[in-house]
Amino acid sequence: QVRLVESGGGLVQAGGSLRLSCAASPSNVRINLMAWYRQAPGKQRELVAMITTGGRSNYADSVKGRFTISRDNAENTMYLQMNSLKPEDTAVYYCNALIFVQQYWGQGTQVTVSS
């Protein structure tokens, strides 16, 4: 059974930074695509950034230039470095992994940005 565990969320002032982590287990599972999604209260879940096994990444326009996604394939861990945070970045952030045709989700980590 694949398990994704996020960490690193918290409360930060506008302009600050946070780094989210997502650890996948078992460690030898081969993950094709990893991504971060977020869901703010009363809104639909939206894609924030995605990254392939080879390191190619894509970002939502709202976070381009501020967020950086990365992954360590050997450790099956993904990161999201979030800089210049804005109050509108407040949401629950979810880790997502695509293994063949099956999607897996983490439990989410809360990010709150105060103005």
Side-chain angles (χ1 to χ4, degrees), residues 38 59 61-68 81-86 88-89 93:
R38 67 186 181 187
Y59 297 89
D61 287 342
S62 59
V63 306
K64 279 181 183 175
R66 299 188 299 122
F67 291 11
T68 302
Q81 178 66 43
M82 305 186 294
N83 299 329
S84 303
L85 282 161
K86 304 175 181 179
E88 50 263 45
D89 294 317
Y93 283 70

XYZ file of all heavy atoms in Angstrom, residues 38 59 61-68 81-86 88-89 93:
163
model
N -3.561 22.250 -3.796
C -4.014 22.962 -2.612
C -5.516 23.215 -2.704
O -6.082 23.289 -3.799
C -3.266 24.279 -2.402
C -3.525 25.345 -3.464
C -2.630 26.541 -3.220
N -2.859 27.602 -4.203
C -2.124 28.703 -4.309
N -1.086 28.898 -3.482
N -2.409 29.611 -5.218
N 4.187 24.807 -13.282
C 3.612 25.552 -12.178
C 2.325 26.247 -12.574
O 2.136 26.647 -13.726
C 4.596 26.625 -11.698
C 5.893 26.094 -11.149
C 6.976 25.871 -11.980
C 6.023 25.808 -9.793
C 8.166 25.366 -11.486
C 7.214 25.318 -9.274
C 8.279 25.103 -10.131
O 9.460 24.615 -9.626
N 0.112 29.505 -12.751
C 0.544 30.894 -12.984
C 0.634 31.678 -11.674
O 1.486 32.543 -11.518
C -0.430 31.586 -13.934
C -0.291 31.095 -15.361
O 0.750 30.485 -15.694
O -1.229 31.316 -16.151
N -0.235 31.360 -10.737
C -0.308 32.127 -9.492
C 0.925 31.950 -8.602
O 1.140 32.754 -7.692
C -1.563 31.746 -8.710
O -1.557 30.365 -8.421
N 1.724 30.906 -8.853
C 2.885 30.652 -7.988
C 4.211 30.726 -8.735
O 5.271 30.604 -8.115
C 2.770 29.291 -7.278
C 1.441 29.182 -6.531
C 2.932 28.138 -8.260
N 4.156 30.930 -10.038
C 5.390 30.997 -10.834
C 6.313 32.092 -10.304
O 5.865 33.205 -10.028
C 5.061 31.261 -12.302
C 4.656 30.029 -13.065
C 4.375 30.362 -14.525
C 3.907 29.137 -15.275
N 3.507 29.456 -16.672
N 7.580 31.754 -10.169
C 8.561 32.718 -9.685
C 8.651 32.789 -8.176
O 9.574 33.409 -7.635
N 7.704 32.169 -7.472
C 7.716 32.202 -6.000
C 7.920 30.815 -5.404
O 8.540 30.670 -4.353
C 6.398 32.784 -5.482
C 6.130 34.203 -5.930
C 4.898 34.792 -5.225
N 3.686 34.054 -5.509
C 2.913 33.493 -4.568
N 3.242 33.579 -3.298
N 1.802 32.862 -4.911
N 7.348 29.794 -6.056
C 7.431 28.424 -5.548
C 8.382 27.609 -6.418
O 8.478 27.824 -7.631
C 6.068 27.755 -5.581
C 5.067 28.287 -4.606
C 5.287 29.452 -3.885
C 3.865 27.619 -4.399
C 4.360 29.941 -2.983
C 2.918 28.088 -3.504
C 3.163 29.259 -2.808
N 9.060 26.652 -5.789
C 9.948 25.740 -6.505
C 9.681 24.316 -6.049
O 9.755 24.021 -4.848
C 11.419 26.082 -6.267
O 11.678 27.432 -6.670
C 12.323 25.153 -7.077
N 9.319 24.467 -2.095
C 9.842 25.667 -1.465
C 8.948 26.829 -1.841
O 8.787 27.141 -3.023
C 11.282 25.935 -1.921
C 11.892 27.193 -1.340
C 12.090 27.107 0.165
O 12.533 26.090 0.687
N 11.751 28.177 0.873
N 8.355 27.456 -0.840
C 7.410 28.540 -1.073
C 7.989 29.828 -0.510
O 8.189 29.938 0.705
C 6.070 28.223 -0.410
C 5.484 26.887 -0.846
S 3.835 26.595 -0.193
C 4.197 26.462 1.550
N 8.254 30.780 -1.382
C 8.791 32.078 -0.985
C 7.786 33.179 -1.299
O 6.844 32.967 -2.067
C 10.102 32.354 -1.716
C 11.189 31.344 -1.411
O 11.245 30.796 -0.307
N 12.043 31.080 -2.379
N 8.008 34.328 -0.719
C 7.136 35.490 -0.950
C 5.674 35.110 -0.807
O 4.832 35.433 -1.654
C 7.391 36.078 -2.347
O 8.738 36.440 -2.496
N 5.359 34.427 0.261
C 4.001 33.934 0.472
C 3.014 35.080 0.632
O 3.328 36.134 1.202
C 3.960 33.014 1.686
C 4.505 31.606 1.418
C 4.859 30.907 2.723
C 3.478 30.797 0.637
N 1.806 34.831 0.117
C 0.725 35.810 0.159
C -0.451 35.220 0.934
O -0.611 33.989 0.980
C 0.273 36.151 -1.259
C 1.376 36.644 -2.166
C 0.851 36.841 -3.588
C 1.952 37.313 -4.525
N 1.455 37.486 -5.909
N -3.368 34.869 0.005
C -4.148 34.014 -0.894
C -3.524 32.640 -1.109
O -4.123 31.780 -1.758
C -4.383 34.704 -2.245
C -3.127 35.261 -2.891
C -2.937 36.744 -2.619
O -3.118 37.185 -1.452
O -2.595 37.480 -3.567
N -2.322 32.417 -0.590
C -1.722 31.083 -0.628
C -2.236 30.196 0.514
O -1.916 29.004 0.558
C -0.195 31.175 -0.535
C 0.433 31.855 -1.738
O 0.006 31.566 -2.874
O 1.356 32.672 -1.548
N -2.472 21.982 1.715
C -1.638 21.531 0.602
C -1.549 20.010 0.634
O -1.236 19.417 1.677
C -0.253 22.165 0.694
C -0.244 23.607 0.248
C -0.866 24.590 1.021
C 0.354 24.002 -0.947
C -0.895 25.913 0.615
C 0.333 25.323 -1.358
C -0.288 26.275 -0.580
O -0.314 27.587 -0.981
